[in-house]
Amino acid sequence: MAEYITLEGEATQLGYANVPNTFKINMCGMNVSKLMVSFEGPAKPEVMLTSQRDGTVDCTYRTIVEGEYTINVTFDEEHVIGSPSKTQVKGELIVDTSKVKVTGAGLKEGKNRQLNTVTVDPKEAKITSQLQVYMEGTSKPDVSYRNNDNGTSTVTYKPYTIGEYKLHLKYMDQPVPGSPFTLKVKN
């Protein structure tokens, strides 16, 4: 059955140190319990498998050591199509956040004790790494975000006092244009 399962994505051939690298495993309806992913190389990367609604599995790996790795993806102890795969992990990737778009009513002004939202769109910048979000201000607001199916992220914050706040949005420690955003929270 392994002969039906395929690998997809640049991260099967090229990765970057100190950042998440993700490729897809097209399972073709097979049970993921028999799927195994392993790496051979200068270090042992952290590996996380995430089942998606469309029946694929996202394989995300992260290593701090550059060099050549071999990715082994097996199903029921047989290599799938495209495995083993030689992968070159290069030095740290520098992210260009200049094309990230940030919109929403909560960007300039927030409402006290209410949920306020901001949308972050990194698609044009081709960024796939995790969004980093934090706020500072007159109180410590509740801040969270969720990744949307369309490639954007929705940031939600709920402040508990009125005043001035700063919303910091970054990818791989690189601020998006305009960050930190200064906003006023009113009643």
Side-chain angles (χ1 to χ4, degrees):
M1 295 299 167
E3 65 269 14
Y4 298 110
I5 300 170
T6 59
L7 306 180
E8 178 183 314
E10 182 185 36
T12 60
Q13 298 169 4
L14 176 65
Y16 295 93
N18 296 311
V19 298
N21 300 280
T22 303
F23 64 90
K24 283 200 175 300
I25 304 170
N26 297 313
M27 294 299 296
C28 296
M30 304 295 174
N31 185 336
V32 297
S33 67
K34 295 181 178 183
L35 183 69
M36 297 290 297
V37 177
S38 65
F39 282 75
E40 299 169 29
K44 183 175 167 81
E46 297 173 27
V47 178
M48 183 171 69
L49 300 176
T50 308
S51 293
Q52 301 298 323
R53 290 183 187 159
D54 65 1
T56 62
V57 174
D58 284 352
C59 177
T60 302
Y61 65 91
R62 183 182 187 136
T63 181
I64 60 171
V65 180
E66 298 176 44
E68 187 172 284
Y69 290 78
T70 301
I71 303 174
N72 297 296
V73 180
T74 59
F75 180 80
D76 202 14
E77 299 183 10
E78 292 182 30
H79 281 277
V80 304
I81 296 171
S83 174
S85 176
K86 295 282 186 201
T87 305
Q88 187 65 39
V89 174
K90 296 184 175 186
E92 216 169 312
L93 176 65
I94 304 301
V95 173
D96 178 12
T97 59
S98 66
K99 293 183 180 178
V100 174
K101 294 184 175 107
V102 183
T103 57
L107 197 55
K108 301 255 187 248
E109 184 176 290
K111 304 234 186 267
N112 190 33
R113 298 186 183 275
Q114 293 182 31
L115 288 178
N116 301 274
T117 61
V118 172
T119 301
V120 182
D121 185 350
K123 292 181 297 203
E124 202 173 305
K126 297 184 168 98
I127 296 174
T128 58
S129 62
Q130 289 292 97
L131 176 65
Q132 298 165 289
V133 179
Y134 70 96
M135 282 186 82
E136 57 184 326
T138 55
S139 73
K140 184 173 181 192
D142 295 333
V143 183
S144 64
Y145 77 94
R146 75 172 185 278
N147 293 323
N148 302 315
D149 290 339
N150 66 359
T152 64
S153 296
T154 300
V155 176
T156 307
Y157 66 90
K158 183 178 183 180
Y160 292 96
T161 60
I162 59 172
E164 190 172 281
Y165 289 79
K166 289 190 179 194
L167 173 63
H168 297 264
L169 301 172
K170 300 178 180 184
Y171 286 96
M172 293 172 50
D173 294 323
Q174 300 296 314
V176 304
S179 180
F181 296 92
T182 301
L183 53 103
K184 295 198 182 317
V185 170
K186 300 178 178 178
N187 278 329

